[in-house]
């Protein structure tokens, strides 16, 4: 079973939903959508996608922290560089 409805020629599937937001947040979102030249729905979709990607990246970093918690002192000096490289890679647009 496919969810959502076809969306234009790209054949993306979308699902309509209703959410409640504080007035000031909705006004700010509408302003941002106008500035970016996208619909409110597209803005929310982009924001949610970014939030979920950041959440997954945080989960990965937490797992790395757990794995590397017992490193010796030499390895601990290199770890910040490894984490920084991971964060840089995870935030780059492909």
């Amino acid at each position: 079973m496919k969810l959502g409805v076809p969306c234009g020629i790209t054949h993306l599937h979308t699902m309509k939903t209703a959410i409640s937001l504080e007035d000031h947040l909705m006004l700010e979102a509408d302003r941002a959508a106008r500035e970016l030249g996208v619909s409110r729905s597209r803005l929310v979709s982009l924001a949610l996608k970014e939030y979920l990607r950041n959440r997954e990246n945080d989960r990965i970093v937490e797992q790395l922290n757990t794995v590397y918690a017992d490193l010796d002192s030499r390895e601990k000096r290199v770890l910040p560089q490894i984490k920084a490289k991971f964060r840089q890679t995870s935030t780059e647009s492909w």
Side-chain angles (χ1 to χ4, degrees):
M1 176 176 94
K2 291 186 178 181
L3 298 176
V5 295
C7 180
I9 62 172
T10 59
H11 301 291
L12 295 176
H13 289 276
T14 62
M15 182 179 295
K16 288 190 179 270
T17 186
I19 59 172
S20 298
L21 299 173
E22 298 169 5
D23 290 343
H24 71 90
L25 184 57
M26 182 58 77
L27 292 172
E28 197 171 329
D30 285 342
R31 185 176 64 239
R34 277 193 308 275
E35 289 172 0
L36 293 169
V38 297
S39 68
R40 182 191 296 159
S41 292
R42 181 70 178 140
L43 178 71
V44 171
S45 179
L46 291 170
L48 182 57
K49 194 179 296 187
E50 180 72 15
Y51 170 80
L52 293 172
R53 187 177 75 203
N54 287 338
R55 186 170 182 249
E56 177 64 11
N57 288 342
D58 289 346
R59 188 186 66 75
I60 291 169
V61 169
E62 183 60 35
Q63 286 178 338
L64 288 171
N65 287 340
T66 300
V67 168
Y68 293 113
D70 297 324
L71 296 177
D72 65 33
S73 62
R74 182 174 155 291
E75 291 170 320
K76 285 183 181 179
R77 286 193 304 268
V78 177
L79 187 58
Q81 296 168 343
I82 295 170
K83 287 181 181 180
K85 188 61 177 172
F86 170 77
R87 285 191 182 102
Q88 177 187 359
T89 301
S90 67
T91 59
E92 290 177 354
S93 294
W94 292 79

